[in-house]
Amino acid sequence: MLRLRRLRFRGGVHPEGHKQSTTDREIEPLPLPARLYLPVQQHIGAPAEPLVKPGDYVLKGQLLARSAGAVSAPVHASTSGTVVAIEPFTAPHPSGLPVRTVILEPDGEERWAERSYDSDAFAMTPEEIAARVGAAGIVGMGGAAFPAAVKLNLGSRNTVHTLVINGGECEPYLTCDDRLMQERPREIIDGVRIMMRALHAHTARIAIEDNKPYAIAAMTAAAAACPDVHVTAVPTRYPMGSEKQMIQALTGLEVPAGKLSADVGIVVHNVATAHAVRNALRRDQALISRIVTVGGGAVDTPRNLEVPLGTLVSDLLEACGLKEEPARLLAGGPMMGMVLPHAQVPVVKGTNGIIALTAKEINAGEVRPCIRCARCVAACPCGLMPLEMASRVRSGDIDGAVSYGLGDCISCGSCSYVCPSNIPLVQYFNFAKGALANQREEQRKTEETRRLAAERNARLEAAKQQKANQQRRRSEAAESTESG
Amino acid sequence: MAQTEVIGGPHVRAPSSVPRTMALVLLASSPAAGLGLYLFGWPALNLLMVTIAAALLSETLSLWLMGKPVRSSLFDGSALLTAWLLALTLPPWAPWWIGALGGAFAILIGKQVFGGIGQNLFNPAMLARVALLISFPLEMTTWAQPHPLFAADSPDFLTALSITFGTAPHIDGMTSATVLGYVKTGFTQGHTLSQSLTGHFAPTASLLGDTNGSLGETSALLVVLGGLVLLQQRIITWQIPLAMLAAIAALSGLFHWIDPERYGGVLFHLLSGGALLGAFFIATDPVTSPSSPRGQLLFGAGCGALTWVIRTWGGYPEGVAFAVLLMNAVTPLIDHYLRPRVYGRTRRGEPLRPPAPRNETSDE
């Protein structure tokens, strides 16, 4: 195992970990709930297209909705049972807006669809591996939910020398990756090696924050047999789990602005994604369950649960008990997680935690004017000046905010975390990014209209010209016949 | 479930707040202030109270006039801290109206006309101090010698009231110039530095604070101690104090080496006047100093260099307040040009060039 001291990214914060309550608890399976709610969009990209209809009996792992488009992911049945409806249902998103959802009533028999165990991942071509991962509906399980197959295909376009496996888990409260690494290190390493093959990568580096000694030990032992897979302890600092910051901490390399990490020869995947890849390739198992940390001060018994996708958050909270009414319910960690409108929303592929916070934990205070203390500048891992950006966003000067690096902001929230005036800086930036996207779209439309208009004018002009030419030629011809 | 409007993170926060920040600065400067109060007795306490009262009244008045919430702003501690820091830089036996005018000027002209907390371009306390110095040079350069509280020659409470409120006869034996003042006057009379310093500058006395000077800046040791607390609590960063003190030390060291009879040495400059208080408590004012680490280095160095230049060649014996104000004026410029380097970009903002592809053979 390598230790890392000097190579670090700048900025960052040290939020209190709150991991002690679940880091020692084994992953527990959650019994099947009465109903499963499977949204057809659980990933970044185009929604999947349902292939079943109400009344259909489906088997565990059976394809329910197929991927539609280059960036998309299919959805599979988490268990066997009957499709009772396909209708809009609230998605785990702050808006509380409904999304097309396949509602499944389990029959409790857990009858699997046919699976083939005979395929050897290392006999497959990289393209075949990526295709299998895509067919299994695997998305980035660290929370971003980007279709994993798309990232596995990068090896054919770029020279990828290193696969970085993100075991940072820098968000407070979350321990699902920590437990996975402690309990299933060999499966993860197997998945890592399969992914290395898909990417043509020579080296894999598994980065784990140094506050997870048991995970580091388990992974190091499991990786001992593979000389090209290295486990590295990285300093515990938020946002270590961010792809760019992790690459910098591990290799000292920076991803140039506007480029992908693959452009510097590195692809990053989460540990849970590696685990899912292994299940897909070795056991022909689609992504139909995941490990979720249920935590936060309002939870009676914080646990790590292995839950079928589509289980309602309320079922998870019931299993763990609530000490008090949570002041805020989150999907994901408290730094970048999303507020849930209520607990009647399903667990999806990217749900790594359900965190129920008390008012005391949120520590919300009065918003005061900025005193330019520059703690946000010191905390920003991207080298931005959040206070300057915020003052421009507030005055409606989006271009000014862009000139201060709005486009380079990763919305990690370090600035808001440290702000003594409680200014919701990230919210400003997210708002401005939305406005900017709209502005660009408008601009694109205007330009498109202008281009079409110009083309049309040119066409009309050309037709007119042609007509005039014809006329001239005709009269010239007439003249010549007259004179001739 | 209680639903809030918050949608984005973070949903947890560091245990910091504006009032807490102000309180910590107040706390960190209180040993030096406490010693000042002890050394200069009741008149100093009177002056401090008058300055604070004037500042708080002015703050209340302006908030009320502008229709802003009085309570939360008044109790954020910023006006209190401004008055406190101003008082620490005043002659401890100054008459009451110096404190009253200073406190009011700092808040009304130094802070609220710019739009209140966080909006001011200049350090309010220093602006007030300089305004007082220019308007009332006599009162602002009449320094009391230390008369420790409860010592035999210390003025009692009633005498103190008459000193502060201007009914006592001017007591000549109790006052004298500061070291910096002696040197300045000495030069005009053709004395060399060592002649001026004899009997007036003792490094140990400056370290401990047993010397005449402003209320809160006489003990170098306590001021530095407070500064270290601020650093440890991450209220301030090391760039400004270090750059400022380094610039003073470098310039004074160089010129003292060239002509020791004309230019004071490093210790003389660092331990006299407001150099240390300025470096740790004044120049580090977040509102009026640059935001980026490199900007703070430049700002601090500028404060230090200007302090030395004004002390050495300017018309006034002390230069910290002028230096800080002058650098405040260029803070927006520094913030504009000295930004941190953005991740993935060069200092000029262009995207970094991807590294050349590694010449490694494929594992196929």
Side-chain angles (χ1 to χ4, degrees), chain B residues 86 125-135 140 316 321-322 325:
Chain B
L86 168 64
M126 289 304 98
L127 204 63
R129 185 185 141 78
V130 162
L132 290 171
L133 185 62
I134 295 171
S135 314
M140 285 296 288
Y316 288 90
F322 291 105
L325 289 179

Side-chain angles (χ1 to χ4, degrees), chain A residues 21 28 33 72 84 104 116 207 431 477:
Chain A
S21 50
E28 299 162 83
S72 185
V84 291
L104 186 65
S116 60
F431 162 79

Side-chain angles (χ1 to χ4, degrees), chain A residues 28-30 288-292 305-311 316 347:
Chain A
E28 299 162 83
L30 190 74
I288 52 170
S289 70
R290 70 156 299 144
I291 299 159
V292 182
L305 299 172
E306 182 153 27
V307 296
L309 296 179
T311 307
L316 271 62
V347 166

Side-chain angles (χ1 to χ4, degrees), chain A residues 60 64 129 135 141 299 340 427 463:
Chain A
K60 186 172 183 174
L64 295 182
I129 296 175
M141 293 175 76
V299 174
L340 292 178
Q427 286 202 59

Side-chain angles (χ1 to χ4, degrees), chain B residues 282-348:
Chain B
I282 308 288
T284 51
D285 168 29
V287 178
T288 56
S289 63
S291 316
S292 73
R294 286 194 311 154
Q296 289 169 355
L297 278 176
L298 180 66
F299 175 87
C303 287
L306 285 173
T307 297
W308 182 84
V309 166
I310 294 167
R311 278 180 179 184
T312 307
W313 294 309
Y316 288 90
E318 174 60 302
V320 172
F322 291 105
V324 170
L325 289 179
L326 284 169
M327 289 310 292
N328 285 164
V330 291
T331 291
L333 207 64
I334 295 177
D335 265 342
H336 185 79
Y337 285 106
L338 289 189
R339 302 182 193 174
R341 188 180 67 80
V342 174
Y343 178 101
R345 291 183 185 277
T346 63
R347 285 221 176 274
R348 317 186 73 188

